[in-house]
């Protein structure tokens, strides 16, 4: 009612088959994660037909500092290149116990309109495991070429973690797209050596989603590269969640107003949650990009030291400091937003 009755807003109730781009008009597209049909085709055409991704499942992400590196080790398969992956080795007994719990764990229920149609490239790990006890050993848990760099011993199975953000604070559990309920993910994936006390910054999810390949096509101002008068907001940009969508809407709205006035758009400070989300979705590796909720792991890392210069590892203190820095950053940024 407030939007409809606002003197400066015109609400039009009709389907939008393509982006209505008038000359010099500033447009925000916030059509949501189920965008399809001719509008999706129009957006895809503007981004080289590589921008819209449909996926059934996404893997969990854990914080680096919560991985037990006394059990895990860094290595790349066959020692090729730098040791880019963190490897969590399993014995035969550990693997078989894990496999049993994985295939019997409780899955999240699907909606009536959601068909259980899986693509091989993003097959939920529990579905893959259900094909046979050895299936994962020839897939994401394949140990070949991942001998321990100190002992030289090849594990029976290996779970790999891949760096997920530029700051190297977030790691994706490779191949662990899943539809398990979140408490079951915590329980079952906590059986993996090195992840017993892992901090899950994003649990695995499975649902239909449409989103831009933002690292390739979006600016941190939420403008589309090459079309500065066109902005995107909401889950289409690769943010995940209602609050995050509203956050991206604020960024896009502020910048749309500035562009309309002939002013330069703003890049929100990375120390703030608004800025950190925009930074994450526009700087992640395009090849492996997937949507992200706001979390402490995407904020620039901080170090707390005691009076003797020793590093303090208390997570509660660190999160408190990150929150304080975020609030201070957005407070200092307000004059730019409001022009005062």
């Amino acid at each position: 009612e407030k939007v409809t009755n606002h003197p400066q807003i015109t609400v039009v109730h009709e389907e939008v088959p393509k982006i209505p781009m008038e000359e010099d008009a500033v447009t925000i597209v916030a059509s949501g994660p189920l965008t399809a049909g001719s509008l999706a085709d129009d957006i895809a055409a503007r981004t080289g037909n590589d921008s819209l991704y449909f996926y059934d499942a996404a893997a969990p992400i854990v914080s680096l500092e919560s991985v037990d590196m006394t059990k895990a080790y860094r290595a790349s398969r066959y020692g090729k290149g730098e040791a880019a992956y963190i490897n969590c080795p399993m014995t035969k007994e550990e693997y078989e116990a894990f496999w049993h719990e994985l295939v019997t764990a409780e899955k999240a229920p699907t909606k009536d309109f959601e068909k259980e149609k899986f693509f091989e490239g993003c097959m939920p790990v529990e579905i893959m495991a259900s094909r046979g006890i050895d299936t994962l050993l020839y897939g994401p848990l394949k140990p070949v070429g991942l001998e321990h760099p100190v002992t030289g011993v090849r594990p029976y199975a290996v779970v790999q973690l891949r760096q997920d953000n530029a700051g190297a604070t977030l790691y994706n559990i490779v191949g662990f797209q899943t539809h398990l309920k979140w408490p079951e993910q915590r329980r079952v994936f906590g059986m993996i050596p090195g992840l017993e006390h892992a901090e899950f910054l994003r649990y695995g999810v499975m649902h239909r989603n449409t989103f831009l390949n933002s690292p390739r096509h979006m600016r941190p101002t939420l403008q589309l590269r090459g079309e500065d008068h066109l902005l995107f907001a909401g889950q289409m940009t690769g943010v995940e969640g209602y609050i995050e969508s509203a956050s991206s809407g604020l960024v896009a709205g502020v910048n749309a107003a500035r562009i309309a006035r002939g002013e330069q758009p703003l890049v929100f400070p990375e120390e703030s949650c608004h800025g950190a989300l925009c930074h994450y979705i526009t700087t992640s590796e395009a090849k492996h990009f997937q949507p992200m909720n706001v979390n402490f792991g995407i904020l620039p890392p901080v170090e707390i030291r005691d009076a003797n210069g020793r590093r303090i590892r208390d997570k509660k203190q660190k999160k408190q400091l990150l929150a304080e820095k975020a609030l201070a950053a957005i407070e200092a940024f307000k004059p730019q937003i409001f022009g005062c």
Side-chain angles (χ1 to χ4, degrees):
E1 184 181 347
K2 286 183 178 180
V3 171
T4 302
N5 293 329
H6 196 286
Q8 292 180 291
I9 299 175
T10 300
V11 178
V12 180
H13 294 284
E14 65 180 45
E15 182 181 359
V16 180
K18 61 184 298 185
I19 298 171
M21 291 294 290
E22 300 174 12
E23 188 176 357
D24 295 329
V26 182
T27 303
I28 300 175
V29 178
S31 50
L34 297 180
T35 302
S38 59
L39 180 59
D41 293 340
D42 182 37
I43 296 168
R46 292 171 180 273
T47 51
N49 290 308
D50 73 339
S51 60
L52 296 176
Y53 283 55
F54 294 83
Y55 74 96
D56 285 322
I61 289 176
V62 299
S63 67
L64 172 62
E65 63 181 0
S66 68
V67 178
D68 186 350
M69 294 303 294
T70 65
K71 297 180 179 179
Y73 59 92
R74 289 185 178 273
S76 289
R77 203 175 296 276
Y78 302 110
K80 293 181 179 179
E82 60 178 314
Y85 290 83
I86 294 175
N87 300 274
C88 301
M90 285 183 169
T91 63
K92 186 173 188 290
E93 293 74 20
E94 288 170 336
Y95 171 77
E96 290 180 349
F98 168 76
W99 177 85
H100 180 268
E101 294 304 311
L102 178 61
V103 296
T104 58
E106 189 176 2
K107 302 179 184 67
T110 55
K111 306 295 183 184
D112 292 338
F113 62 85
E114 292 179 330
K115 295 180 180 179
E116 287 207 352
K117 178 182 176 182
F118 304 117
F119 297 101
E120 289 294 326
C122 59
M123 176 75 63
V125 67
E126 63 274 8
I127 301 297
M128 193 184 306
S130 69
R131 295 176 172 178
I133 193 168
D134 292 334
T135 303
L136 295 179
L137 298 176
Y138 295 93
L141 274 69
K142 179 179 170 182
V144 178
L146 290 172
E147 286 74 15
H148 196 287
V150 176
T151 65
V153 174
R154 178 188 294 178
Y156 186 79
V158 173
V159 174
Q160 290 196 300
L161 310 181
R162 179 178 59 225
Q163 183 178 325
D164 195 76
N165 67 329
T169 56
L170 310 178
Y171 275 74
N172 185 295
I173 309 180
V174 178
F176 271 60
Q177 300 85 217
T178 183
H179 200 214
L180 297 184
K181 288 188 172 182
W182 290 0
E184 289 289 79
Q185 292 183 44
R186 167 69 269 174
R187 179 181 69 84
V188 177
F189 299 159
M191 296 175 68
I192 299 169
L195 300 185
E196 293 90 345
H197 305 291
E199 178 185 17
F200 285 81
L201 297 173
R202 183 190 73 193
Y203 284 102
V205 293
M206 189 187 88
H207 56 86
R208 180 180 176 272
N209 202 350
T210 304
F211 58 98
L212 291 162
N213 190 345
S214 292
R216 187 170 290 151
H217 299 292
M218 297 284 290
R219 303 185 191 279
T221 54
L222 299 188
Q223 296 167 282
L224 186 69
R225 294 182 184 275
E227 294 194 55
D228 288 347
H229 282 64
L230 179 58
L231 301 93
F232 285 82
Q235 286 185 244
M236 279 209 80
T237 65
V239 301
E240 184 77 29
Y242 295 120
I243 293 173
E244 292 85 345
S245 294
S247 165
S248 70
L250 175 66
V251 175
V254 165
N255 283 331
R258 292 180 66 86
I259 295 167
R261 292 197 299 261
E263 300 171 357
Q264 288 297 312
L266 298 173
V267 175
F268 279 58
E270 192 182 341
E271 294 77 15
S272 70
C273 292
H274 291 74
L277 270 172
C278 291
H279 177 79
Y280 178 86
I281 64 174
T282 56
T283 63
S284 295
E285 186 182 359
K287 184 178 178 181
H288 300 293
F289 178 61
Q290 288 184 337
M292 175 63 74
N293 289 94
V294 68
N295 60 74
F296 286 105
I298 67 172
L299 292 166
V302 296
E303 281 195 1
I304 311 173
R305 297 186 180 275
D306 62 18
N308 297 316
R310 289 176 299 212
R311 187 180 175 187
I312 298 174
R313 298 182 179 274
D314 185 271
K315 291 182 182 178
K316 189 173 182 180
Q317 276 187 269
K318 184 175 287 188
K319 288 178 178 178
Q320 180 67 33
L321 179 59
L322 285 169
E324 290 171 357
K325 289 189 71 171
L327 290 169
I330 205 70
E331 192 66 32
F333 193 65
K334 277 183 181 179
Q336 294 188 61
I337 299 173
F338 299 111
C340 58

